[in-house]
Structure formats: structure tokens, C-alpha cells
Amino acid sequence: MSWEVVIGLEIHAQLTTKSKIFSGSSIAYGAAPNTQACNVDLGMPGMLPVLNAAVIDKSIALGLALNAEIGRKSVFDRKNYFYPDLPKGYQTSQLEFPIVGKGTLEIEVDGVKKVIGVTRAHLEEDAGKSNHGIVPGMSGIDLNRAGTPLLEIVSDPDMSSAKEAVAYAKKMHELVQYLGICDGNMQEGSFRVDSNVSVRRPGEPLGTRTELKNINSFRFIEKAIEFEIERQIELIENGGQVVQETRLYDSENDTTRSMRSKEEANDYRYFPCPDLLPVIITDEDIEAVKATMPELPDAKRARFVAEFGLSEYDAEVLTSSREMAEFFEAVVAATGAKDAKLCANWMTSGFAAALNKDSLAVKDAPISAEMLAGMLERIMDDTISGKIAKQVFEAMWNGEGSADEIIEAKGLKQITDSGAIEALVDEVLANNPSQVEAYKAGQEKMMGYFVGQIMKASGGQANPGQVNQILKAKLS
């Protein structure tokens, strides 16, 4: 008998504020342990929280991007539980009145589009961090993260495969970065994904779910879910029962292991936080945020296809990040929009490959959009060929100057003098009489051989178009 898989995701996106959600403490990453936690974060007696206004606008922005309901009255609650790295003994979160209500996000897997429901997104503070193994025989507690602003984005259980779950997580990751509300750094814990997984026979009620906690890479999310699906099916088919629990994924052994039993909402004894007033969001607040919204990824992809004549694939690559898309548009603008496809080809190949090779973000690239445009203009006006451009690009990347400076210094200007090219063609044909006879006998592949020899003789600087034109004329 077949099985149905049911998956829902809870994503914790750390908001890009300078300070914590209820205090003025910094949230900068990498500080020495326990140097960024004030009395408010520690829950010391008499300390009152003050809401960081920036988290409201960032939450509204996500709600608008998801076409979601915006909570006009948003209330903070205390979620009570004990854990060593939770200094107050409760976490300030939202239960009944979240800041973002129901919305949707469209994903695509293997060419098939699917709309995933978003149940809610609510604001909460992060806990601290337990570090095991630093102090022999003990756990170290670092409270720098305590009070860091999080937006927990909860999906409906609409995903039915690990691939769909990863597609949803990637789409949400892309979206929060486009909006500028989260930097998306999974290694630093800025974007964390919890996966709720269950299986059932077709037509049966939902099965018992397990939660896979805090997985920090898309590859591991997929592997963890796939393992958990197989584990649950095997367990049930062997007569066992799935227990509702939180499990951790072990990437080294590709397994999941039990961490703790999974609590229900009533286990946390939620009640409204007496120290924080409800947040009232007006139409004016929403319109103010809407006025600052950037063009979103799906709309940008569609525009790149329509406006620049790009393929769906190129548009997908160029909009993979807001920085990449903006760099591309700056290159196109700097070339006067003369050849957007040439710009796209170089962005998706040479530029993207160089970034990947040096593990750089777009903002850290050693060349500017104007520098890349300068090189592309020299291809457009036939000063250099595409092959020579690769040499120029590499030199630019290594800091040797602008395209014009490098072309001049290295003598890379393309040979466009028809007389000089004709002399090269005559020389190659004279030196290869047997290949000429083979071509005339019908071996047209010899054309590629001749072109290669001519380009070699010119040091790669002969204009390929003119070479082909003159060569064909000579051979005919």
C-alpha cells in the first residue's frame, strides 16, 4: 500500500535590526560570550521591555509579500518553560493575535507549480545558546542571543515531499532577503528551519508528527526529511507507533535521533504579557510600508523575460538574489541597454563562476558593474572578441585595471583589418593543401580546422566573423 507524506515548516528568520526586540543590546554576530545581554534580556527584577518599532515594519513587509492578513491588533504573550539558556523562565512570543495571519507562497518543483499556505508569522525573542564541550564536564551558557528579534513563519501542512519542503524553504529564504528583513545567513543561525513530518495511508486522518529541529542547510533539510519519512514508514509497517517528539538530524551519519518529547501549546501555559501593550496597526502604517517595498523576485523574473528577452533559466539565475539582479540591471544600464542578452550571458557564466570560485558575495566582487559594462562594450564594438574578453575579465578580476587599460597594455585589440586577415587566411590555406582538398571533397568539418589555425596564427585576435566570411569566400 502507498503512503502519503505530510510536511509543514516553521522558519525562524532573525530580523535585521541593530538592537534586540525589547532592549537596546546589540545583536552583532561573533561577540565574546555574554557581552551583549543587558538586565532586560536577563529578566532582572524591575526591568521592563520596550518594543523595538523596527520589527513591526519588517513584519508588515513580509505579510504584504505573502498577500497575508495583517494583524490590526497584535498581542505579545509569555510562553513559559524552563531551559538553562532561557534566563527569564519564559519566552515573549505571540499566540492568539500574531502580527501576520494567513497568506500564501507559490513554489515550483520539476516544472509543477503549487501554492503553499502560510498559517501565520509571529514575533518572538530568541533564547540564549548552550555550548557543550567547551567547559569539561559542563555546559557553557551564552546569553548574547537572548532577546534577538525573530519572526517565526509557520506554513500549513501542504507539502508532500522533501523536494517541496526545500523549494518552499528556499523561496522564503529568497523572499526575506529581497525584503531586507533578514540576511538569510544559515551558518550564523539567522535563518533556521524546523520540519514537521508525518505519514499516513491515503484517506486516513493525519499521522503523528515529529519535529526536526534547527537544520541549517537546504541539503540537510532534504536529507533529514527523507530519512524521517523512511523511519516512520518502517516503524509503522513493523507494528510500532510514531511518538510525537522533537528529533535532531545527525548529518555525519544521516540519521535522526530523539531529543525530547514534543510539547503542546497548553504545556507552555501561555498568557498575555503584562509588561507590553497590544500593538495597533493602522491603514496608514501598512501604506507606509507598502511604499518602501522592493520589486519581489517573481515579478522581477517575469519583467526580465519580457523586457530583456531573457530565457526563464537566465532570469532565474539573475534574480537568485536581490544583489545579483541589481548588479545585472546596473550593467545593462551602463551599456545603454544595447545587448541585454550579452550582459546576461556574462553575468550567469564568467561573473557568477568567478564569485563562486572565490566564495564571494556580489557586494564583495572586485569589479564594479561599470567595469564589467566597459568590457562588454568593447565586445559590442568589435574591439575584442569573446575569447579575448575572458583574458580581459580575468585581469580585471585580479585588479589590473579597467578593460580599456588592460586591452591597451596587453595589446589585445582585435584585428579587424580585412587585408591582414586575408593574408592570414591565404597563409593557412597554402600551408594545408590536403585539408583544402578534403574540404572541397565534401568534408565540411575542415572549416572548423581552418578557423582554428587562423585564430592561432593571429594569437586569438582576428575578428572571428571576418575570418569566417573571408575563409568561405576563398574556399568557394
Side-chain angles (χ1 to χ4, degrees):
M1 290 179 65
S2 61
W3 291 90
E4 287 182 351
V5 177
V6 181
I7 302 168
L9 299 187
E10 299 170 9
I11 293 172
H12 293 83
Q14 179 179 318
L15 298 176
T16 51
T17 57
K18 293 182 179 179
S19 57
K20 296 186 178 180
I21 188 169
F22 299 122
S23 81
S25 298
S26 171
I27 64 169
Y29 181 79
N34 299 307
T35 58
Q36 294 182 169
C38 69
N39 287 337
V40 174
D41 308 322
L42 301 177
M44 300 299 281
M47 297 295 105
L48 293 175
V50 177
L51 179 62
N52 185 338
V55 304
I56 302 299
D57 288 350
K58 293 179 188 296
S59 303
I60 293 172
L62 179 69
L64 291 172
L66 296 173
N67 293 312
E69 303 165 359
I70 306 296
R72 298 309 182 99
K73 178 184 177 182
S74 184
V75 177
F76 286 97
D77 301 278
R78 289 186 179 181
K79 180 180 179 181
N80 298 276
Y81 65 96
F82 172 78
Y83 212 69
D85 55 21
L86 189 69
K88 295 187 289 191
Y90 63 85
Q91 178 188 32
T92 305
S93 182
Q94 295 184 311
L95 180 63
E96 300 217 8
F97 300 98
I99 193 161
V100 176
K102 282 194 168 294
T104 57
L105 186 69
E106 185 179 76
I107 63 170
E108 185 173 336
V109 176
D110 298 330
V112 179
K113 293 183 178 180
K114 183 176 181 178
V115 175
I116 306 298
V118 175
T119 307
R120 56 190 275 143
H122 60 266
L123 286 163
E124 64 183 20
E125 60 181 338
D126 204 353
K129 184 179 181 181
S130 297
N131 293 304
H132 309 293
I134 295 177
V135 182
M138 305 176 76
S139 292
I141 303 297
D142 180 6
L143 297 176
N144 281 350
R145 286 191 64 89
T148 295
L150 300 178
L151 193 58
E152 181 173 346
I153 309 159
V154 183
S155 82
D156 292 343
D158 289 346
M159 289 154 275
S160 54
S161 70
K163 274 188 174 183
E164 287 186 358
V166 170
Y168 172 87
K170 284 184 174 180
K171 191 76 176 284
M172 193 66 76
H173 184 253
E174 175 187 70
L175 184 60
V176 296
Q177 290 183 93
Y178 258 81
L179 293 170
I181 66 173
C182 174
D183 66 19
N185 192 319
M186 298 181 79
Q187 300 307 312
E188 294 179 2
S190 299
F191 188 89
R192 310 196 296 269
V193 179
D194 300 341
S195 307
N196 292 288
V197 182
S198 67
V199 298
R200 65 178 176 183
R201 300 286 191 188
E204 290 186 355
L206 289 173
T208 302
R209 64 186 170 88
T210 58
E211 180 184 46
L212 303 172
K213 195 78 174 170
N214 287 350
I215 306 174
N216 67 352
S217 86
F218 296 119
R219 184 167 67 91
F220 289 158
I221 291 169
E222 185 169 9
K223 290 170 74 71
I225 291 174
E226 287 175 344
F227 175 85
E228 185 58 20
I229 292 168
E230 292 178 10
R231 186 191 73 84
Q232 291 187 20
I233 291 173
E234 184 178 351
L235 180 63
I236 296 169
E237 288 182 342
N238 288 333
Q241 286 188 326
V242 177
V243 177
Q244 185 165 318
E245 62 183 348
T246 298
R247 299 180 69 86
L248 291 178
Y249 176 64
D250 180 348
S251 58
E252 291 186 8
N253 298 306
D254 192 24
T255 60
T256 64
R257 56 181 172 82
S258 180
M259 178 183 176
R260 61 175 181 265
S261 62
K262 178 64 179 171
E263 300 85 352
E264 298 288 356
N266 58 5
D267 293 323
Y268 291 117
R269 304 186 310 283
Y270 280 94
F271 64 85
C273 180
D275 294 334
L276 290 162
L277 292 170
V279 177
I280 305 301
I281 297 173
T282 65
D283 289 341
E284 290 75 16
D285 295 327
I286 295 171
E287 289 303 316
V289 173
K290 191 179 290 185
T292 66
M293 293 277 285
E295 184 180 31
L296 298 180
D298 287 348
K300 193 178 288 289
R301 274 189 277 276
R303 181 170 63 82
F304 278 13
V305 171
E307 184 177 330
F308 300 127
L310 304 184
S311 67
E312 294 280 353
Y313 173 80
D314 283 347
E316 184 81 27
V317 173
L318 291 168
T319 57
S320 59
S321 74
R322 184 174 171 180
E323 292 75 19
M324 182 70 113
E326 289 175 348
F327 195 99
F328 166 70
E329 291 205 83
V331 172
V332 172
T335 61
K338 290 192 287 285
D339 194 339
K341 288 186 178 181
L342 177 66
C343 297
N345 289 341
W346 268 91
M347 286 287 300
T348 57
S349 55
F351 183 74
L355 289 175
N356 188 54
K357 179 183 175 184
D358 292 346
S359 301
L360 294 175
V362 174
K363 64 181 177 62
D364 299 320
I367 65 173
S368 66
E370 290 71 26
M371 290 176 69
L372 181 56
M375 185 196 79
L376 296 178
E377 287 187 309
R378 297 292 79 80
I379 298 175
M380 294 176 197
D381 65 15
D382 289 332
T383 299
I384 57 174
S385 65
K387 186 174 182 180
I388 294 173
K390 293 178 181 178
Q391 298 178 50
V392 176
F393 179 83
E394 185 176 355
M396 286 168 53
W397 195 264
N398 292 331
E400 296 179 32
S402 68
D404 287 339
E405 291 168 343
I406 292 163
I407 292 167
E408 186 66 33
K410 295 180 178 286
L412 297 176
K413 190 173 289 188
Q414 191 167 227
I415 299 170
T416 56
D417 179 85
S418 57
I421 294 174
E422 187 173 355
L424 288 169
V425 172
D426 288 340
E427 181 183 344
V428 167
L429 295 180
N431 292 337
N432 295 275
S434 60
Q435 284 84 354
V436 171
E437 290 302 318
Y439 176 81
K440 291 181 176 179
Q443 295 187 35
E444 294 186 1
K445 65 180 181 180
M446 284 296 131
M447 177 66 74
Y449 171 78
F450 295 136
V451 171
Q453 293 299 306
I454 294 163
M455 295 305 293
K456 183 179 179 181
S458 72
Q461 290 178 249
N463 182 293
Q466 288 180 268
V467 167
N468 275 282
Q469 185 180 8
I470 293 172
L471 180 59
K472 285 178 181 177
K474 293 279 185 182
L475 290 171
S476 63

